[in-house]
Amino acid sequence: MEEDEDRYEEGSENEEGNEEATGNEDYSSLLNKAPEWSVGVILYNGNAYPLAKSKFRRSEYYFSPSWRPVAKNVSGDVVVLRDGKVSKYRISRHGDKYLQVVLV
């Protein structure tokens, strides 16, 4: 993962005004590792987990820390959706199996 971070830093220094695109490229590698059923990934406690859309609440998502992470030792606390949208989030509810997530 260190190599990816180095490339990200080099890209953001050399390409003025293109930081967002470089960041999305970094996240796209996480999305590529996510299972097909997921709507994106969530960076939580240093890992990237697949994220699912709630069937019951339109604006909610959910995941479980017991799921196999798509990547470990990642920094940040964001949700990355398959459409490229990157958002901060908050945990709205802790259930028995899942953590409910709301984008902020």
Side-chain angles (χ1 to χ4, degrees):
M1 190 65 192
E2 276 183 50
E3 288 178 9
D4 290 342
E5 289 174 11
D6 290 343
R7 255 187 262 129
Y8 174 76
E9 287 175 13
E10 287 173 16
S12 62
E13 285 174 16
N14 296 338
E15 302 168 19
E16 285 182 36
N18 202 14
E19 279 183 42
E20 199 171 289
T22 307
N24 287 342
E25 285 173 24
D26 191 46
Y27 292 136
S28 70
S29 67
L30 295 175
L31 290 172
N32 291 339
K33 295 176 186 175
E36 284 183 30
W37 54 260
S38 71
V39 295
V41 294
I42 182 167
L43 279 54
Y44 178 77
N45 283 350
N47 294 324
Y49 295 98
L51 188 70
K53 181 90 170 114
S54 173
K55 295 175 185 161
F56 306 106
R57 296 188 181 211
R58 246 178 88 195
S59 61
E60 276 193 356
Y61 300 86
Y62 67 95
F63 78 102
S64 175
S66 66
W67 290 348
R68 185 171 60 86
V70 296
K72 294 183 178 189
N73 301 318
V74 292
S75 58
D77 289 315
V78 294
V79 163
V80 183
L81 298 177
R82 289 207 185 267
D83 65 5
K85 184 178 176 187
V86 179
S87 301
K88 296 266 185 205
Y89 66 85
R90 70 177 173 81
I91 304 294
S92 61
R93 283 179 291 147
H94 292 263
D96 291 341
K97 289 183 176 181
Y98 306 111
L99 281 79
Q100 302 296 322
V101 176
V102 177
L103 304 183
V104 292

